[in-house]
Structures are given as structure tokens and as C-alpha cells.
Amino acid sequence: MAGFAFDNPPPPGPFDEDPHLQRILNAKEGPGPWPNAVLHRLHPPVPVTVRVVWERDDVEHLDTIATDWGGLHVLVTITDRRRRFGFLWLHCDDVGRR
């Protein structure tokens, strides 16, 4: 089974339509395949700057923290109204230490 496609939400229903939601075009599904993926916890979390490519708002650089990594993918936290979930897998090329 492939990873989870968190950036491909189901079609909106009558109670969760939100015109602010956008896909993140450079989001990854993580280090899969699940459940055999090898994940490494970053303790303490590492301050990073990430490059996010929004579906409509183009490229944005955000300061956040990385909490896990696996292979070439890094799990970062992201709190933004344009996103439904509070975390995001990115390729390591889109993540840099602060």
C-alpha cells in the first residue's frame, strides 16, 4: 500500500466546504511504503525553513519545525488556514535548517 495522500482531500461535503483550502503541490506521501517505512524522530524538533508550493498562491517560505524524517522526506508542522492538517511531508530539498 502506498502512503497516505493527505493533500488529496475528498470532495467537499455540505459541512466542510472551505474556499480557503489549497493543495500543496510539492507535498510528498512520506517515506512509505507503509507499514515498512523506517521513521526517525527528531528529539528535540529541529527549527527549519520550508519551501511550500501552494495550488493557487504560488511559492512561500515558512519558518516551522521538523519532527520526523525517513529516507529523503521530512515531516514538518504547518498551521495555515489553507491546509486541513497540521503536518506535511516534504522532500529534503524543500527543507533547510534555521
Side-chain angles (χ1 to χ4, degrees):
M1 178 169 89
F4 298 102
F6 290 110
D7 277 294
N8 297 318
F15 299 106
D16 60 5
E17 288 185 8
D18 187 342
H20 300 287
L21 289 179
Q22 294 183 49
R23 289 185 313 138
I24 295 177
L25 302 180
N26 62 329
K28 302 300 178 192
E29 291 186 356
W34 305 100
N36 299 323
V38 177
L39 301 178
H40 306 277
R41 176 69 36 123
L42 295 170
H43 189 31
V46 176
V48 294
T49 299
V50 297
R51 178 181 165 272
V52 175
V53 182
W54 295 100
E55 181 178 31
R56 293 186 304 272
D57 293 340
D58 206 23
V59 176
E60 184 175 13
H61 291 86
L62 303 171
D63 289 338
T64 186
I65 58 170
T67 59
D68 297 87
W69 67 274
L72 296 175
H73 300 96
V74 181
L75 184 65
V76 299
T77 61
I78 182 171
T79 305
D80 194 291
R81 184 172 182 181
R82 296 170 287 184
R83 178 144 174 88
R84 193 180 302 246
F85 302 100
F87 56 91
L88 170 68
W89 284 103
L90 290 171
H91 190 274
C92 61
D93 289 343
D94 292 322
V95 181
R97 286 180 181 256
R98 282 192 273 144

